[in-house]
């Protein structure tokens, strides 16, 4: 190192060399590490382009940033943030912090398909250095803000899926969401999941990548997790430090963590590529604009400020080639964030970001530093004080050694702020009582004293929020949690709460704004978080019907809790006249915003998703028919349903299994019923589908009967399609012989499928009921077959789907089985029967129950004398006499006037002879046998 300030850290170097010689056996790695840290600090301090090292969401960094910006007033601010997010920064004015900048891609090119969708978020809080830099640059005339970090596309280009650890907490590191007892204290899932599964990027990830080092720091610092260590030993000492001290200490920490254990080699390579990328971008900008590096400020993480790459600095080499972006189309927007979401994504302790916000507000009041806030920023108070003219920039002074004095000085012991601690103690008791705890004034005193005791045990003169949190848990929670929140969560809320951000209307994508505009007639504050109840009287106010259409589409597209119907339903051919909804669009604002990345209207997004489902590689006939039904329900017009219906034909032609037959049968029946009642003619696609399906299932039927993988329900659904669609298929040109041949070629071995085949033969007329009953009696009479007879009954139960007119026979067969089967056979079969009825209960159980109610006696007393109809002997008087083998049929009118019949026969070219009339009795035999009824009717008609 050479330069005008070569001796800046010579005294510190000498001390560290002496320390290394004392604690080590000789000049080895320890001396190299210690002196290397000083070299890193010296190198960064001498850089003509001022480097401002920060830690993400650090109040000390934010305060130092605000102070430095007012002193230096740079003309260009280089910020470590994805460069493609820069157009979003102006929209922060319309948002309530915290929010996250997001890059989203649903249709990807150049990446594996299973990665889709790609999402990158960068959360912004008010207590962060990046927000201070953004607010200064956007609201100060003549200042340029340049984002210099890799683009969102490069985030995925440089990182393998499943190892996104370059910006988040390392997996396997200490879990920061549990207390000493192991109780999980993570915040509510709803707030913690606001970022979804997006990859998080941040400024300044300062956490040791050396597990043993972190464990050592936590143990000797007498703290539970890393967030508490950072608050105690970095945030508080740097809160009142000057700029040079802050800067050198942060550079020291970044270099220390970097040199001790860089971590995973892949992560190190990504870190170094990011540093090369950023310095390459900054040198290119300086060259293009001719800006003096002294008028610039480079805001980056302290880890990256202590970089060792050759491209480091204004005079660095230009050997890094930036790869072009992929063909992926990225969408950019703002989504709501929360303290819990930031903590969950970056591995911070629960409540640490809320405590940081509290410390930030307290530091601002204490130091009287005026922070930067975007003009018009939602959620911030307007300052009543008159704005003063910006002070003149302070000339940069040569850097001096601040590290030596900072490292030598003893810890500053703050005096106890009893008023603050007492206020915390009273407030936590009040909050605990509201949440169901039996807390009292004595508990408030106990929390106060225990906080002081814990701080003393941990060598602190003043209790920190973490000490107070531990004391509150110890004194109030005791053995159980009566409400939804534990005491640790109550302290988090009290310290600033899990503040949830909100994206303003003007910053929403067009789709989200369109949704809010179309739901405006509901007169509800849907942008606010929480559940809103919407009552739609569509009959009284027809204009609310359009709101209903939007809500049903949102229910289909968004998570279940966003739009939940309480009253009303939407089915084919049915529309509710009154509806009631629970709406939480403000709570699920992220999901609504991400819909805006897919299209400009919810109709377009819905159409795209239905097409994606129908044309996807995993599409089946059932899923395509479901898409047809959804398109008919939610979208106007016949264009899309007809297109998807044609796609169903293509999938049916390529399908070689019967797995989806039950679902296909159910949906085709429903669509046919809808079109027959609402359309003058059937759509061409469904006629073609019935014809193709008839031939398709006839072809597969013999194989399905013998295939062990085909279930009884699937075979029954195939037969149900063939029999229920038979009349339509025959009218469209199909041949019934094809079905008869398919049934004749079926030779099942399984008892349940054999029963299905018998039912199909009954439906076709190839088997009479008497023959079917005889076969069942034969099975019950064969001791070798009796154990498998329940499986035949299961087949008959499934046969109710294709042949519902066998319901009485199934009741008869089940009743006979209960009467004749021995208990060792019957009892193990009952679970199978119950399972069968449960699986098909909606369609089959009502048929059996109704038929059983018709056959069985209605009173228990009549059961003893009741004889089943299938066992009762018929009354001989009611049996009609056998018809003679020969003779006429009693058609006296034709015999008396044969001319008409002869004319028709001549017209048809038929030559025949008349039979001789039977001299026996003709007409209705029942009337002749019981003449009283006929005579009474004659008397009534004659008026007697």
């Amino acid at each position: 190192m050479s330069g005008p300030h070569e001796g800046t850290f010579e005294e510190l170097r000498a001390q560290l060399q002496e320390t290394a010689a004392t604690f080590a056996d000789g000049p080895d790695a320890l001396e190299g590490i210690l002196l290397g840290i000083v070299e890193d600090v010296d190198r960064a301090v001498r850089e003509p382009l001022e480097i401002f090292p920060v830690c993400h969401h650090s109040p000390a960094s934010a305060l130092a940033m605000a102070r430095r910006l007012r002193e230096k007033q740079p003309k260009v601010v280089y910020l470590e943030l994805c460069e493609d997010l820069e157009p979003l920064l102006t929209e922060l004015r319309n948002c309530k912090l915290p929010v996250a900048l997001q890059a989203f891609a649903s249709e990807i090119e150049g990446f594996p398909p299973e990665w889709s969708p790609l999402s990158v978020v960068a959360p912004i809080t008010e207590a962060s250095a990046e927000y201070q830099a953004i607010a200064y640059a956007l609201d100060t005339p003549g200042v340029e803000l340049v984002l210099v970090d890799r683009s969102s596309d490069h985030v995925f280009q440089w990182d393998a899926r499943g190892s996104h650890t370059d910006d988040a907490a390392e997996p396997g590191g200490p879990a920061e969401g549990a207390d000493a007892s192991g109780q999980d204290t993570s915040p509510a899932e709803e707030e913690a999941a606001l970022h979804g599964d997006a990859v998080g990027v941040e400024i300044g990830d300062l956490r040791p990548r050396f597990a043993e080092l972190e464990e050592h720091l936590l143990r000797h610092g007498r703290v539970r997790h890393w967030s508490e260590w950072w608050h105690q030993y970095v945030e508080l000492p740097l809160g009142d430090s000057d700029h040079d001290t802050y800067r050198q200490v942060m550079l020291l920490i970044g270099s220390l963590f970097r040199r001790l254990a860089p971590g995973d080699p892949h992560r190190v390579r990504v870190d170094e590529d990011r540093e090369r990328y950023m310095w390459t971008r900054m040198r290119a900008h300086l060259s293009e604009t001719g800006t003096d590096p002294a008028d610039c400020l480079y805001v980056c993480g302290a880890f990256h400020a202590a970089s060792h790459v050759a491209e480091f600095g204004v005079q660095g080499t230009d050997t890094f080639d930036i790869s072009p972006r992929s063909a992926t189309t990225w969408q950019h927007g703002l989504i709501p964030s929360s303290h819990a979401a930031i903590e969950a994504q970056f591995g911070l302790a629960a409540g640490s970001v809320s405590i940081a916000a509290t410390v930030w507000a307290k530091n601002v009041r204490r130091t009287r530093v005026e922070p930067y806030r975007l003009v018009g920023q939602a959620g911030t108070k307007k300052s009543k004080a008159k704005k003063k003219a910006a002070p003149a920039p302070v000339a940069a002074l040569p850097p001096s050694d601040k590290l030596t004095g900072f490292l030598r000085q003893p810890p500053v012991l703050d005096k106890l702020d009893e008023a603050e601690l007492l206020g915390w103690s009273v407030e936590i008791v009040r909050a605990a009582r509201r949440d169901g705890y039996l807390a009292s004034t004595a508990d408030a005193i106990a929390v106060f004293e225990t906080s002081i005791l814990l701080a003393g045990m941990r060598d602190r003169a003043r209790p920190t929020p973490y000490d107070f949190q531990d004391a509150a848990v110890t004194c109030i929670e005791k053995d159980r949690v009566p409400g939804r929140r534990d005491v640790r969560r109550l302290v988090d809320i009290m310290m600033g709460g899990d503040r949830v951000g909100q994206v303003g209307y003007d910053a929403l994508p067009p789709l989200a704004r369109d949704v809010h505009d179309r739901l405006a007639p509901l007169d509800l504050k849907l942008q606010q978080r929480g559940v809103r109840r919407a009552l739609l009287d569509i009959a009284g106010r027809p204009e609310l019907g359009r709101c209903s259409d939007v809500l049903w589409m949102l229910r289909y597209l968004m998570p279940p809790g966003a739009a939940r119907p309480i009253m009303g339903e939407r089915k084919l051919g049915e529309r509710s006249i009154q509806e009631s909804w629970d709406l939480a669009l403000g709570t699920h604002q992220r999901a609504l915003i991400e819909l805006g990345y897919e299209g400009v209207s919810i109709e377009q997004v819905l159409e795209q998703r239905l097409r994606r489902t129908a044309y996807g590689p995993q599409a089946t006939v059932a899923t395509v028919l479901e898409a047809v039904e959804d398109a008919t329900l939610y979208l106007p017009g016949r264009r899309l349903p007809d297109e998807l219906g044609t796609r169903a034909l293509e999938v049916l032609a390529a399908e070689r299994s019967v797995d989806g037959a039950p679902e296909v049968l159910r949906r085709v029946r429903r669509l046919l019923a809808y079109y027959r009642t609402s359309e003058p003619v059937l759509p061409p696609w469904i006629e073609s589908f019935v014809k193709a399906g008839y031939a398709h299932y006839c072809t597969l039927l013999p194989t399905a009967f013998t295939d062990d993988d085909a279930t009884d329900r699937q075979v029954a659904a195939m037969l149900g399609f063939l029999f229920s669609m038979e009349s339509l298929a025959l009218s469209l040109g199909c041949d019934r012989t094809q079905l008869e041949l398919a049934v004749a070629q079926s030779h099942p071995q399984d008892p349940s499928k054999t029963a299905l085949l018998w039912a199909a033969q009954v439906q076709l007329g190839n088997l009479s009921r008497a023959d079917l009953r005889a076969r069942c009696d034969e099975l019950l009479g064969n001791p070798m077959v009796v154990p498998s007879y329940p499986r035949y009954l299961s087949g008959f139960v499934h046969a109710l789907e294709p042949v519902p007119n066998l319901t009485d026979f199934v009741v008869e067969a089940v009743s006979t089985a209960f009467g004749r089967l021995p208990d060792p056979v019957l009892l193990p079969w009952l679970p199978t029967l119950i399972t069968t009825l449960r699986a098909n209960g909606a369609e089959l159980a009502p048929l059996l129950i109704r038929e059983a109610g018709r056959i069985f006696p209605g009173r228990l007393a009549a059961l003893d004398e009741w004889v089943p109809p299938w066992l009762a002997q018929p009354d001989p008087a009611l049996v009609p006499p056998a018809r003679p083998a020969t003779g006429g049929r009693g058609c006296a009118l034709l015999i008396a006037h044969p001319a008409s019949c002869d004319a028709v026969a001549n017209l048809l070219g038929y030559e025949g002879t008349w039979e001789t009339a039977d001299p026996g009795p003709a007409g209705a035999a029942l009337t002749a046998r019981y003449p009283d009824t006929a005579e009474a009717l004659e008397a009534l008609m004659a008026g007697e």
Side-chain angles (χ1 to χ4, degrees):
M1 286 269 181
S2 61
H5 312 295
E6 184 175 2
T8 302
F9 296 100
E10 287 303 319
E11 181 181 357
L12 182 59
R13 287 191 182 91
Q15 293 179 3
L16 293 179
Q17 281 181 323
E18 181 180 352
T19 302
T22 301
F23 289 97
D25 296 334
D28 55 4
L30 177 60
E31 181 178 358
I33 291 175
L34 295 178
L35 296 182
I37 292 173
V38 179
E39 294 296 335
D40 292 340
V41 175
D42 197 7
R43 181 188 186 193
V45 167
R46 293 190 195 184
E47 177 59 35
L49 174 58
E50 180 177 336
I51 303 173
F52 194 95
V54 300
C55 175
H56 67 89
H57 310 299
S58 165
S61 293
L63 194 68
M65 173 63 70
R67 185 186 293 116
R68 183 56 178 166
L69 289 173
R70 295 198 180 277
E71 293 174 355
K72 182 179 178 65
Q73 297 181 22
K75 297 179 181 179
V76 177
V77 177
Y78 297 113
L79 186 61
E80 179 196 329
L81 207 58
C82 293
E83 58 185 4
D84 55 326
L85 299 178
E86 188 168 342
L88 297 175
L89 298 180
T90 56
E91 296 294 340
L92 289 174
R93 303 180 191 275
N94 302 314
C95 302
K96 178 182 177 182
L97 299 181
V99 296
L101 311 174
Q102 183 182 38
F104 186 90
S106 57
E107 298 180 1
I108 62 177
E109 295 185 24
F111 301 105
E114 60 270 15
W115 291 15
S116 180
L118 305 180
S119 181
V120 176
V121 296
I124 302 292
T125 63
E126 187 176 357
S128 61
E130 57 263 40
Y131 176 74
Q132 295 298 309
I134 292 170
Y136 163 79
L138 295 183
D139 284 346
T140 305
V143 175
E144 184 179 5
L145 177 64
V146 183
L147 304 188
V148 293
D149 199 2
R150 55 183 176 164
S151 67
S152 303
D153 197 89
H154 287 93
V155 170
F156 292 94
Q157 284 190 31
W158 295 357
D159 206 0
R161 191 68 170 185
S163 62
H164 296 314
T165 58
D166 53 308
D167 299 294
E170 260 190 276
E176 294 203 5
D179 58 13
S181 63
Q183 180 183 358
D184 187 8
T185 58
S186 58
E189 293 182 1
E190 182 179 289
E191 285 78 9
L194 282 179
H195 295 172
D197 58 353
V199 176
V201 294
E202 56 185 346
I203 296 182
D205 174 23
L206 279 185
R207 184 171 180 177
R209 300 181 182 179
F210 186 26
E212 288 78 2
L213 172 61
E214 182 170 342
E215 181 183 356
H216 176 83
L217 293 174
L218 297 183
R219 184 174 66 253
H220 288 275
R222 299 181 182 180
V223 294
R224 292 177 294 114
H225 44 68
W226 176 252
S227 299
E228 185 176 359
W229 187 93
W230 182 266
H231 172 85
Q232 178 66 26
Y233 295 100
V234 179
E235 285 291 331
L236 296 182
L238 290 182
D240 294 324
S241 61
D242 59 89
H243 171 65
D244 288 338
T245 302
Y246 164 83
R247 188 180 175 201
Q248 293 174 23
V249 170
M250 292 294 287
L251 290 170
L252 172 71
I253 296 173
S255 177
L256 173 67
F257 291 166
R258 186 164 193 145
R259 286 183 174 272
L260 281 182
D264 178 63
H266 170 74
R267 184 172 180 178
V268 173
R269 185 175 67 254
V270 171
D271 286 332
E272 292 178 349
D273 284 346
R274 290 178 66 184
E275 292 155 6
R276 295 186 179 99
Y277 192 106
M278 289 187 285
W279 280 109
T280 301
R281 289 296 194 208
M282 285 187 286
R283 280 196 300 273
H285 181 269
L286 291 172
S287 176
E288 292 172 1
T289 61
T291 307
D292 185 357
D295 295 331
C296 303
L297 187 68
Y298 171 35
V299 183
C300 67
F303 190 89
H304 296 298
S307 176
H308 304 147
V309 297
E311 290 80 3
F312 180 90
V314 177
Q315 304 300 327
T317 61
D318 286 322
T319 59
F320 183 67
D321 294 328
I322 298 176
S323 60
R325 301 183 188 181
S326 69
T328 299
T329 301
W330 288 88
Q331 304 285 338
H332 299 86
L334 295 163
I335 62 172
S337 183
S338 68
H339 293 169
I342 297 171
E343 293 158 0
Q345 187 160 43
F346 299 112
L348 304 176
S352 58
V353 178
S354 296
I355 292 176
T358 302
V359 173
W360 157 255
K362 186 174 182 179
N363 286 347
V364 169
R365 292 192 301 268
R366 179 172 52 83
T367 61
R368 299 186 181 277
V369 172
E370 185 178 354
Y372 288 95
R373 291 187 177 93
L374 287 171
V375 176
Q377 177 77 60
T380 58
K381 297 180 180 179
K382 296 182 179 179
S383 177
K384 297 182 179 180
K386 295 183 179 179
K387 290 188 176 182
K388 300 178 181 179
V394 178
L397 299 176
S400 58
D401 180 9
K402 299 288 187 177
L403 279 178
T404 303
F406 181 84
L407 296 176
R408 281 181 175 179
Q409 69 182 10
V412 178
L413 300 179
D414 296 336
K415 62 179 181 179
L416 174 63
D417 189 344
E418 293 188 0
E420 181 186 56
L421 183 58
L422 187 60
W424 287 353
S425 303
V426 172
E427 185 60 32
I428 190 58
V429 168
R430 182 183 294 113
R433 290 182 64 86
R434 284 197 303 265
D435 224 63
Y437 289 89
L438 299 177
S440 63
T441 304
D443 292 308
I445 298 174
V447 172
F448 180 87
E449 298 294 341
T450 306
S451 301
I452 299 175
L453 176 63
L454 288 176
M457 294 172 60
R458 297 166 178 173
D459 293 334
R460 303 169 187 168
R462 176 180 180 176
T464 66
Y466 297 97
D467 298 325
F468 171 76
Q469 192 176 56
D470 291 342
V473 172
T474 302
C475 299
I476 298 177
E477 191 163 292
K478 300 179 177 68
D479 59 342
R480 69 185 187 92
V481 178
R484 295 189 303 112
R485 303 182 180 94
D486 58 13
V487 173
R488 192 173 299 280
R489 177 69 177 148
L490 293 176
V491 174
D492 295 341
I493 295 174
M494 189 193 74
M495 288 292 177
D498 183 20
R499 192 169 301 166
V500 180
Q502 185 181 36
V503 179
Y505 176 85
D506 294 331
L508 291 173
L511 180 144
R513 293 200 300 268
D514 179 61
V515 168
H516 284 290
D517 292 343
R518 294 167 68 177
L519 295 180
L522 298 179
D523 197 21
L524 297 174
K525 297 179 179 179
L526 297 179
Q527 286 191 273
Q528 296 181 357
R529 293 179 57 82
V531 178
R532 301 289 186 272
R533 176 62 59 87
L535 303 176
L536 283 71
D537 181 12
I538 302 175
R541 297 179 58 190
E543 67 274 11
L544 294 182
R546 292 187 289 272
C547 295
S548 175
D549 295 338
V550 173
L551 293 178
W552 284 109
M553 286 186 281
L554 290 177
R555 178 177 178 269
Y556 181 89
L557 295 170
M558 295 187 66
R564 185 167 63 93
I566 304 301
M567 181 182 68
E569 60 181 355
R570 177 157 291 195
K571 295 182 178 180
L572 289 175
E574 298 181 12
R575 291 293 185 272
S576 303
I577 61 174
Q578 287 185 334
E579 294 178 356
S580 176
W581 291 79
D582 276 351
L583 304 178
L585 298 185
T587 304
H588 295 84
Q589 194 179 46
R590 178 183 69 87
L592 182 61
I593 291 172
E594 289 184 350
L595 284 182
Y597 300 152
E598 302 182 44
V600 296
S601 69
I602 52 177
E603 286 85 359
Q604 180 187 5
V605 174
L606 179 57
E607 183 173 334
Q608 289 175 354
R609 290 197 180 182
L610 292 176
R611 279 203 177 94
R612 193 180 305 129
T613 300
Y615 290 91
Q618 304 299 324
T620 63
V621 180
T623 56
V624 178
L625 289 177
E626 182 182 6
V628 173
E629 186 174 340
D630 291 335
T632 306
L633 281 175
Y634 303 123
L635 295 174
R638 285 271 304 276
R639 175 186 55 83
L640 184 61
D642 289 349
E643 176 188 336
L644 299 181
T646 305
R647 170 61 179 169
L649 276 171
E650 300 173 1
V651 178
L652 179 67
E655 203 166 56
R656 293 295 177 264
S657 68
V658 296
D659 296 343
E663 188 70 11
V664 170
L665 173 62
R666 185 170 65 89
R667 295 195 178 277
V668 168
R669 281 177 174 173
R670 196 152 56 204
L671 288 168
L672 269 175
Y674 168 72
Y675 288 132
R676 280 170 172 165
T677 57
S678 62
E679 301 287 344
V681 294
L682 291 178
W685 76 265
I686 201 166
E687 292 183 348
S688 302
F689 187 89
V690 171
K691 291 174 59 178
Y694 190 86
H696 178 73
Y697 287 128
C698 281
T699 304
L700 296 180
L701 188 61
T703 305
F705 266 115
T706 58
D707 188 2
D708 293 336
D709 293 333
T711 64
D712 301 340
R713 185 165 179 259
Q714 292 168 356
V715 176
M718 295 174 63
L719 292 172
F721 185 94
L722 294 171
F723 290 148
S724 60
M725 306 291 165
E726 184 178 16
S727 59
L728 179 58
L730 295 180
S731 68
L732 295 173
C734 293
D735 189 357
R736 194 171 194 264
T737 306
Q738 189 176 6
L739 174 58
E740 294 175 345
L741 290 174
V743 173
Q745 293 172 357
S746 301
H747 305 288
Q749 300 296 324
D750 186 76
S752 57
K753 292 182 180 177
T754 300
L756 281 170
L757 178 62
W758 292 348
Q761 291 173 343
V762 171
Q763 180 70 12
L764 291 174
N766 299 333
L767 185 67
S768 66
R769 288 201 173 204
D771 294 337
L772 182 60
R773 186 176 290 108
R775 290 185 181 184
C776 292
D777 292 339
E778 182 182 353
L779 293 174
L780 284 173
N782 188 344
M784 301 295 292
V785 182
V786 165
S788 62
Y789 185 74
R791 298 179 62 188
Y792 286 92
L793 294 181
S794 296
F796 283 130
V797 172
H798 281 99
L800 294 178
E801 177 73 53
V803 192
N805 56 3
L806 280 183
T807 306
D808 57 340
F809 178 81
V810 175
V811 173
E812 173 187 341
V814 174
S815 302
T816 304
F818 272 88
R820 295 178 59 179
L821 286 177
D823 287 348
V825 175
L826 181 63
L827 293 180
W829 168 68
L830 289 178
T832 304
L833 176 64
I834 295 172
T835 303
T836 302
L837 292 176
R838 178 177 295 178
N840 305 280
E843 298 85 6
L844 305 183
L847 296 176
L848 292 174
I849 294 172
R850 185 164 54 249
E851 185 64 23
R854 187 184 66 83
I855 294 176
F856 288 92
R859 296 181 179 275
L860 183 61
L863 187 61
D864 294 335
E865 301 177 356
W866 177 73
V867 178
W870 52 87
L871 297 179
Q873 296 296 328
D875 188 354
L878 297 179
V879 178
R883 192 179 61 190
T886 59
R889 301 195 179 190
C891 301
L893 187 61
L894 285 178
I895 296 174
H897 305 280
S900 299
C901 191
D902 291 339
V904 174
N906 293 332
L907 180 63
L908 297 175
Y910 177 77
E911 296 181 0
T913 59
W914 285 91
E915 293 183 0
T916 304
D918 191 354
L926 189 63
T927 306
R929 188 176 294 114
Y930 301 98
D932 294 342
T933 303
E935 292 174 357
L937 179 61
E938 181 184 7
L940 179 63
M941 298 297 293
E944 296 179 359

